[in-house]
Amino acid sequence: EPLLRVSASFFRHADGTTVMHAAVKSRNAECVRVIAQYYFDLTDVADSEGNTPLHLAVKAGDANCLLALLQSAAETSTSNKWGKTPLALAREERRKARQGGGTGNASKIVRMLKDYGAQTVTPYVPPERSSGTRGPTDMDRIMKIWNAFFENAMRWRMGEDLRENGGGAAPA
């Protein structure tokens, strides 16, 4: 509990990694979920090589951590220092797997990323919307998180309505 009250910037290592990076590297999806719940801003922090926790989950071939990050509205179109998005890395892993060298669930990871709207190329952001950086604005990220929250709340509410009506259709 006291750990959760500490500023998220406290958790940043000299190489740019955060506790979220460490949780993904240790393949602990539950830890990723808890960190994302309290420090959602850590889902998109890049390390010194430009890799976000999503990049690391793809490289590790860890579908559970990847799903936890995607459900926490992690940004899917961020490029690392080499210009690779998580989807581009996943496609490389899938190619390696087909040739006998990559992770076994690379195709599943590509599908998961696409289901959450991932793109291979970082989308163009008009200059008037950017503040000297490429990618979505803070407001875009906030809206993405809000939309994910609202969608999950509606799914929960629909399930509750179905239970109240004995499994029938939700009331109009």
Side-chain angles (χ1 to χ4, degrees), residues 128-145:
E128 64 274 5
R129 286 200 53 214
S130 78
S131 56
T133 60
R134 286 177 38 191
T137 63
D138 288 339
M139 183 53 78
D140 292 334
R141 286 193 173 102
I142 290 168
M143 290 307 298
K144 184 176 180 181
I145 291 166

Side-chain angles (χ1 to χ4, degrees), residues 20 24 32 36 42-43 53-55 57 64-75:
M20 185 67 83
V24 171
V32 169
L42 292 181
T43 59
L54 204 59
H55 285 91
N64 294 325
C65 283
L66 182 74
L67 182 60
L69 288 164
L70 291 170
Q71 289 174 337
S72 300
E75 180 58 50

Side-chain angles (χ1 to χ4, degrees), residues 23-134:
V24 171
K25 285 179 183 177
S26 67
R27 295 174 168 238
N28 190 335
E30 186 57 33
C31 189
V32 169
R33 283 185 189 88
V34 170
I35 295 168
Q37 179 181 358
Y38 290 97
Y39 300 110
F40 64 87
D41 55 325
L42 292 181
T43 59
D44 296 325
V45 174
D47 63 14
S48 60
E49 296 180 353
N51 291 316
T52 64
L54 204 59
H55 285 91
L56 298 181
V58 168
K59 286 180 178 183
D62 190 331
N64 294 325
C65 283
L66 182 74
L67 182 60
L69 288 164
L70 291 170
Q71 289 174 337
S72 300
E75 180 58 50
T76 58
S77 61
T78 305
S79 297
N80 63 14
K81 276 172 79 172
W82 296 273
K84 303 285 184 173
T85 63
L87 182 57
L89 290 174
R91 285 183 171 156
E92 287 178 6
E93 285 299 317
R94 184 176 62 184
R95 240 184 326 267
K96 288 179 193 174
R98 288 180 179 161
Q99 296 169 354
T103 59
N105 57 351
S107 292
K108 177 181 178 181
I109 288 175
V110 168
R111 243 185 344 270
M112 288 170 66
L113 285 165
K114 283 183 170 184
D115 288 346
Y116 279 84
Q119 300 174 355
T120 306
V121 180
T122 303
Y124 170 75
V125 177
E128 64 274 5
R129 286 200 53 214
S130 78
S131 56
T133 60
R134 286 177 38 191

